[in-house]
Amino acid sequence: MATDFGDESGEKLFDWVLRIGQDASEQAMLASAEKLKNALRNARGEIRGKGPEDAAEQPSEWAKLSMEQFASLPEYRSIKEIIDGKLSGEGIEHAFFEDKGKEHLLFKVEDAPSVSRTFGDLEKQADIALDRALEERGKTREQIRDAQPLEERAASARESAKAIEAARGKAHEVEIAAVRSK
């Protein structure tokens, strides 16, 4: 089944969406997948939008990305494994570490475009996984959205808009680490 997605991470995303669906309704599956896609989209913007703050004699070689948005999602451990597997599959040197109680993804600055591209691939795979999981339940996104009362859809849209606006205004969480290789 990995051929449905192009690699194993898509299959793991499908399993993640199904686990969410087992614990809740199709609406929860849709909402969780959208939150994951937003976190991936925001992370991509943070990766692209950040560079060295100072003109240091020797530029930093490592960057860190806050995993805070991902940690708030259901089944965070699975999401982290998916990200780890996808980055490893792409040959991107990386590590997860905790700093001041928050988890971060550490990667080489020169790999930032590849990390961003990888997160973009995961975003697309999340859509495919959601559609496939809903299909297994005999539903479509449109049916799920249409079944939801208009007031709830409006509230959900307002919440999404607030989250997007908050992400835009938030200081980017990618930092150039002061770690230099010798």
Side-chain angles (χ1 to χ4, degrees):
M1 280 207 235
T3 58
D4 292 346
F5 300 98
D7 65 17
E8 194 175 311
S9 62
E11 190 62 34
K12 288 183 179 181
L13 278 169
F14 173 70
D15 292 340
W16 174 79
V17 170
L18 280 180
R19 279 193 306 277
I20 300 303
Q22 290 169 352
D23 294 339
S25 67
E26 288 90 0
Q27 184 61 39
M29 285 174 32
L30 184 64
S32 292
E34 288 300 319
K35 287 178 183 176
L36 174 61
K37 287 175 26 189
N38 282 336
L40 289 163
R41 194 174 302 121
N42 290 340
R44 290 180 69 210
E46 291 170 4
I47 292 167
R48 283 193 306 265
K50 196 74 171 177
E53 317 285 35
D54 308 300
E57 291 176 22
Q58 192 177 33
S60 297
E61 294 183 25
W62 297 93
K64 68 179 182 180
L65 173 68
S66 172
M67 297 299 290
E68 188 173 0
Q69 289 186 59
F70 297 99
S72 66
L73 293 169
E75 296 280 332
Y76 169 62
R77 185 174 297 174
S78 296
I79 293 169
K80 184 176 157 185
E81 288 173 9
I82 291 165
I83 291 170
D84 183 46
K86 185 74 170 169
L87 291 171
S88 294
E90 296 292 324
I92 299 170
E93 189 176 347
H94 67 284
F96 292 93
F97 72 98
E98 198 166 310
D99 182 31
K100 298 177 185 169
K102 293 184 181 180
E103 190 156 25
H104 294 83
L105 170 65
L106 184 71
F107 57 92
K108 288 186 174 185
V109 171
E110 66 189 35
D111 288 336
S114 297
V115 172
S116 178
R117 189 172 40 256
T118 299
F119 278 42
D121 290 345
L122 287 171
E123 187 180 338
K124 291 174 190 169
Q125 288 178 348
D127 267 335
I128 294 168
L130 174 62
D131 289 337
R132 195 168 135 214
L134 289 173
E135 184 179 307
E136 283 199 7
R137 289 181 167 219
K139 303 277 182 166
T140 65
R141 290 180 198 222
E142 292 75 26
Q143 289 173 321
I144 303 302
R145 287 185 182 130
D146 291 346
Q148 186 181 24
L150 185 57
E151 299 82 30
E152 287 180 27
R153 284 190 277 170
S156 178
R158 283 191 296 274
E159 185 180 314
S160 294
K162 285 180 186 176
I164 290 169
E165 191 60 34
R168 279 190 197 138
K170 180 180 171 189
H172 294 299
E173 291 293 326
V174 174
E175 299 176 19
I176 305 302
V179 178
R180 294 172 184 21
S181 63
K182 293 189 179 198

